[in-house]
């Protein structure tokens, strides 16, 4: 952000961030599933990896929201960029 992007550029960035968010949430679910099947150190490691993936997903969600809002603003100001 901070760059002067077109409406389309911002929307493409928002979609990309949403895809990354989905991948992170899927990764977190996978680590949770593995942690449910393991014990000890492996269990803890997968719980930690799931937590990390959820944090990354939240960051990507915030990026997507910011890009979308910026794109929406660009679209409403009349010039599209």
């Amino acid at each position: 952000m901070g760059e002067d992007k077109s409406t389309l550029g911002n929307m493409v960035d928002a979609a990309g961030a949403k895809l990354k968010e989905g991948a992170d949430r899927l990764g977190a679910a996978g680590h949770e599933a593995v942690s449910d099947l393991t014990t000890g150190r492996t269990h803890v490691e997968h719980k930690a990896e799931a937590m990390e993936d959820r944090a990354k997903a939240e960051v990507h969600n915030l990026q997507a929201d910011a890009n979308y809002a910026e794109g929406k603003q660009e679209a409403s100001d009349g010039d599209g960029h």
Side-chain angles (χ1 to χ4, degrees), residues 11-46:
M11 294 303 174
V12 167
D13 288 349
K18 278 300 195 182
L19 287 172
K20 290 177 184 176
E21 176 191 358
D24 291 332
R25 292 196 189 284
L26 184 60
H31 287 298
E32 283 291 338
V34 172
S35 75
D36 289 343
L37 301 173
T38 59
T39 60
R41 182 179 175 152
T42 304
H43 172 79
V44 173
E45 288 171 350
H46 282 285

Side-chain angles (χ1 to χ4, degrees), residues 19-81:
L19 287 172
K20 290 177 184 176
E21 176 191 358
D24 291 332
R25 292 196 189 284
L26 184 60
H31 287 298
E32 283 291 338
V34 172
S35 75
D36 289 343
L37 301 173
T38 59
T39 60
R41 182 179 175 152
T42 304
H43 172 79
V44 173
E45 288 171 350
H46 282 285
K47 283 288 189 184
E49 289 173 358
M51 191 181 329
E52 179 182 0
D53 284 344
R54 282 191 297 274
K56 288 178 186 177
E58 289 303 316
V59 169
H60 287 125
N61 183 49
L62 292 172
Q63 288 173 337
D65 289 347
N67 286 327
Y68 177 79
E70 193 171 331
K72 190 174 176 183
Q73 178 62 39
E74 288 296 330
S76 69
D77 72 10
D79 66 1
H81 52 62

